[in-house]
Amino acid sequence: MKSLLLWDIDGTLVNADGAGRRAMLLAMGDCFGAEVSYDGFEIAGCTDRQLLEWLLTRHNLVKSEKNFQKCSARYIELLKIEMGRGNIHTYDGVESILQTADRNPDTFQGLLTGNLSEAARVKLDCFDLNQYFAFGAYGEDSADRNALGPIALERARRTHNHDFEKQPERVFVIGDTIRDISCGQAIGASTIAVATGFHSRKKLAVCKPTILLDDFTQASEVFALLNGA
Ligand SMILES: [Mg+2]
């Protein structure tokens, strides 16, 4: 029985200590001379495209593909610098659960993240975690996180020649925010919420994930779910 694990990054695998948020604000300043802030926007679980489009609109800049690309490119440059400045780390149990899943030939792992693909690579490269993910759906694919699930399933099919679109219950969407959970529910996947990141256990419980963990030292609960226990 094959399983597909689709992982969020920030707050789930990695604590980037605000590097992405700092880099995005600096990039807006460098590209447009704009003094920007996130006030009034719920960042947790949003996609980078969604955030950039919101920042452009809020600061009366043109929400064009050209401006998106320009700011994205500068953001990646600055992200590499900012990742070296903070107290970045992976969460407890993360490397162990990725390794264990990786050793099972019937378990595939991909990314389902709001990060731009290049930003995902930069963040995961700090911890040598890119090796676990052969494909992903990313923040440039859509502003709407719920649109990323079907894209991830399509890429899983192309990468592993297995059609999880017909077996959504064998797909496990893993993340730290209510947006991750609703994104998984939108494709009929099982959902694994982890309270290491941006949303509390109480807030995550409201959207009824399949299981809810404090952190990945509770990996046995994940594998029990995968094995149908
Ligand atoms: Mg997250």
Side-chain angles (χ1 to χ4, degrees), residues 26-27 29 42 47 77 84 88 98 132-133 139 141 153 167 175 182 210:
L26 291 168
E42 170 62 47
T47 67
E77 291 172 355
I88 62 170
L98 291 174
Y132 297 110
F133 308 106
D141 291 320
L153 296 188
Q167 285 182 297
S182 61
T210 311

Side-chain angles (χ1 to χ4, degrees), residues 8 10 12 176-177 180:
D8 170 58
D10 295 286
T12 301
D176 67 301
T177 71
D180 296 280

Side-chain angles (χ1 to χ4, degrees), residues 79-95:
L79 180 63
K80 290 173 185 166
I81 298 166
E82 291 299 325
M83 284 299 282
R85 291 202 166 137
N87 176 29
I88 62 170
H89 59 89
T90 58
Y91 294 103
D92 289 347
V94 160
E95 281 155 82

Side-chain angles (χ1 to χ4, degrees), residues 143-154:
D144 174 12
R145 195 178 188 108
N146 282 4
L148 299 183
I151 295 170
L153 296 188
E154 149 75 13

Side-chain angles (χ1 to χ4, degrees), residues 166-192:
K166 291 186 181 135
Q167 285 182 297
E169 73 283 0
R170 297 307 306 160
V171 179
F172 301 83
V173 172
I174 308 168
D176 67 301
T177 71
I178 56 175
R179 282 179 169 142
D180 296 280
I181 304 314
S182 61
C183 164
Q185 289 168 342
I187 54 169
S190 304
T191 52
I192 299 171

Side-chain angles (χ1 to χ4, degrees), residues 48-60:
D48 282 349
R49 182 179 281 278
Q50 183 182 7
L51 176 57
L52 262 170
E53 288 183 355
W54 182 83
L55 285 170
L56 289 168
T57 303
R58 179 171 185 221
H59 296 284
N60 299 316

Side-chain angles (χ1 to χ4, degrees), residues 16-92:
D17 197 21
R21 295 175 188 209
R22 293 192 303 275
M24 189 74 84
L25 291 183
L26 291 168
M28 287 291 292
D30 283 4
C31 291
F32 308 113
E35 181 106 355
V36 298
S37 84
Y38 298 126
D39 290 351
F41 188 76
E42 170 62 47
I43 294 181
C46 81
T47 67
D48 282 349
R49 182 179 281 278
Q50 183 182 7
L51 176 57
L52 262 170
E53 288 183 355
W54 182 83
L55 285 170
L56 289 168
T57 303
R58 179 171 185 221
H59 296 284
N60 299 316
L61 296 158
V62 179
K63 197 176 83 175
S64 63
E65 189 61 24
K66 188 177 162 203
N67 278 346
F68 173 75
Q69 295 295 344
K70 181 179 174 185
C71 196
S72 295
R74 184 65 183 137
Y75 165 65
I76 297 299
E77 291 172 355
L78 291 163
L79 180 63
K80 290 173 185 166
I81 298 166
E82 291 299 325
M83 284 299 282
R85 291 202 166 137
N87 176 29
I88 62 170
H89 59 89
T90 58
Y91 294 103
D92 289 347

